Amino acid sequence: MTSTSEHRPSSVIETIDREERGERLSKEEIVRLLEISSPAETERLYAAADVVRKRCVGDDVFLRGIVEFSNHCRQNCLYCGLRRDNTALVRYRMSDDEILASAYEIRKAGIGTIVLQSGEDPYYDRARLCGLIARIREKIGLVITLSVGERNYEDYRAFREAGADRYLLKHETSSQLLYERIRPGCRLEERLLCLTALRELNYEVGSGVMVGIPGQDIDVLADDIILLEETGIDMLGIGPFIPHPQTPFRDLACGSVELTLKVLAVARIVTRSTNIPATTALRTLDKDARTMALQAGANVIMPDLTPLEYGLFYDIYPGRAKSEVTDMVTLFTILRNDLQGIGRTIGSGAGHRRSSPH
Ligand code: SF4
């Protein structure tokens, strides 16, 4: 007679060991890892993710300086404070010269990458953005990540030819139903086609998920991780949902920090060599979460270096942990101290994904 134990799911440790031997985890196993609830097993999961992180991407923590250059957005996502129906928000656009000045500051601080981020703002059309990319590339020499939403293929190609290296386009959820509910008028299929186009154009491609979206469950989160792996995403942004008072989701609860960290840890174990930031949203909910994320698989920090007079209005969710900086020297001192405490160092260079063609 077969004993019950033979039918019991393998332990967390066995599951992780199998992954370490190069065996792919099934969806059932990913679900099981996400469902871990005992503190000891949770710690084991984080420790395993940390081992995979160390082996696949090393101890360096790469910095990406974010400049949020426009908070105008034509979309109306139900969870986001930049949604077009939020008429309470003061809107702004930074001039090219202001963006360049921020890029110089980032360069001066020794950060190798600028992330140019905005809502979906048609004002920055192909020609305008290409001009900006080319100027930053030629005059300042930073690696350029774009995070400007969905564009057409010719735009992506032009941005790439102008000098953009990376593109962030979070899909937030792999569930078509949820996606189309939280992003009215948008289609998941189109989002995924954009990610395919970006890969074809040889960008390093970033995407990611939001943990705690209403209607999401562990099954959907497992599908999210599988989708990130199967589409060969290079950078994964995994952050908790935080309700914004000027959105239809204002009365909902925040996503769980612990579940977000578990998703991050499992994503590290499954995707191995990807770049994974310790997101600002995590630190907004728990000031220690950045360190926790770095010890559960993360290897990137993205300080928000938007000039304060604008950054205050990049109000995607409330209480955003503004960079603890008033100046770069202070930023570096704080980061260095934090990282030293957990045996990590600030990485130099671009911090491209190791296995990427770059
Ligand atoms: S999530 Fe992005 S596309 Fe949606 S409203 Fe916010 S900035 Fe716009």
Side-chain angles (χ1 to χ4, degrees):
M1 189 177 143
T2 314
S3 77
T4 317
S5 65
E6 281 170 312
H7 285 300
R8 271 187 19 217
S10 58
S11 72
V12 174
I13 296 170
E14 285 167 6
T15 305
I16 293 166
D17 285 349
R18 287 196 35 240
E19 172 64 23
E20 288 194 342
R21 287 199 301 272
E23 293 177 41
R24 283 184 68 177
L25 299 186
S26 65
K27 179 175 170 184
E28 190 196 16
E29 287 168 319
I30 291 174
V31 166
R32 200 180 316 134
L33 291 178
L34 294 175
E35 282 177 341
I36 286 172
S37 58
S38 85
E41 284 193 323
T42 304
E43 281 313 308
R44 177 67 181 95
L45 173 65
Y46 295 163
D50 203 39
V51 168
V52 174
R53 184 273 308 156
K54 189 176 178 69
R55 193 176 61 228
C56 297
V57 298
D59 284 334
D60 283 344
V61 174
F62 289 98
L63 304 185
R64 325 281 201 210
I66 304 186
V67 177
E68 294 146 343
F69 64 91
S70 163
N71 70 351
H72 289 257
C73 189
R74 63 181 175 171
Q75 299 292 359
N76 219 14
C77 305
L78 298 189
Y79 53 89
C80 175
L82 301 198
R83 66 198 306 267
R84 66 170 184 263
D85 283 357
N86 181 8
T87 51
L89 182 65
V90 175
R91 305 280 175 171
Y92 70 86
R93 291 186 178 105
M94 289 172 64
S95 70
D96 283 11
D97 286 345
E98 287 172 320
I99 298 169
L100 277 172
S102 292
Y104 270 118
E105 288 300 312
I106 288 171
R107 174 70 196 209
K108 225 164 69 186
I111 297 177
T113 296
I114 185 171
V115 181
L116 293 173
Q117 182 156 286
S118 70
E120 285 199 9
D121 183 359
Y123 172 82
Y124 292 92
D125 59 13
R126 187 186 304 168
R128 191 177 291 271
L129 263 183
C130 282
L132 186 62
I133 292 164
R135 282 175 77 190
I136 292 175
R137 192 65 184 211
E138 283 156 22
K139 289 181 188 294
I140 311 178
L142 289 168
V143 171
I144 299 171
T145 301
L146 293 179
S147 174
V148 297
E150 286 184 28
R151 301 281 179 135
N152 63 40
Y153 192 88
E154 289 313 312
D155 281 0
Y156 293 145
R157 190 208 301 270
F159 301 154
R160 184 82 181 101
E161 286 170 358
D165 308 272
R166 303 184 179 128
Y167 205 104
L168 300 181
L169 192 69
K170 286 177 78 179
H171 65 279
E172 308 294 5
T173 177
S174 56
S175 155
Q176 186 176 340
L177 190 73
L178 282 183
Y179 184 90
E180 289 169 14
R181 188 184 299 157
I182 66 173
R183 309 197 72 224
C186 301
R187 291 176 55 228
L188 179 61
E189 193 187 353
E190 279 167 22
R191 197 72 160 187
L192 298 179
L193 283 173
C194 287
L195 291 170
T196 304
L198 291 164
R199 285 188 56 75
E200 270 175 28
L201 290 163
N202 203 24
Y203 281 93
E204 276 198 339
V205 180
S207 192
V209 299
M210 190 160 56
V211 177
I213 298 170
Q216 181 187 61
D217 58 17
I218 294 291
D219 202 65
V220 169
L221 287 169
D223 283 338
D224 289 336
I225 293 170
I226 290 165
L227 183 70
L228 289 168
E229 190 208 5
E230 287 181 347
T231 48
I233 297 298
D234 301 298
M235 304 174 280
L236 319 182
I238 297 164
F241 162 71
I242 301 176
H244 188 291
Q246 263 93 40
T247 66
F249 284 176
R250 64 180 70 84
D251 295 325
L252 300 177
C254 290
S256 144
V257 169
E258 185 175 314
L259 182 55
T260 306
L261 288 170
K262 282 183 200 160
V263 174
L264 191 156
V266 176
R268 166 60 72 201
I269 290 167
V270 170
T271 65
R272 293 164 178 268
S273 62
T274 47
N275 283 318
I276 304 183
T279 56
T280 308
L282 259 176
R283 197 161 69 87
T284 299
L285 292 187
D286 182 335
K287 68 177 173 39
D288 297 324
R290 179 165 72 197
T291 308
M292 292 192 275
L294 289 170
Q295 294 179 298
N299 70 320
V300 170
I301 294 175
M302 300 173 76
D304 180 0
L305 301 174
T306 309
L308 204 57
E309 66 266 34
Y310 295 118
L312 289 174
F313 300 109
Y314 203 83
D315 192 25
I316 45 180
Y317 53 81
R320 258 184 349 135
K322 285 302 290 176
S323 186
E324 56 272 77
V325 206
T326 45
D327 62 89
M328 295 284 185
V329 177
T330 314
L331 167 70
F332 269 73
T333 308
I334 292 170
L335 287 178
R336 244 185 228 109
N337 288 343
D338 284 359
L339 295 180
Q340 240 168 27
I342 55 171
R344 307 281 283 279
T345 44
I346 296 179
S348 58
H352 289 303
R353 186 179 184 182
R354 285 190 180 177
S355 59
S356 84
H358 295 260

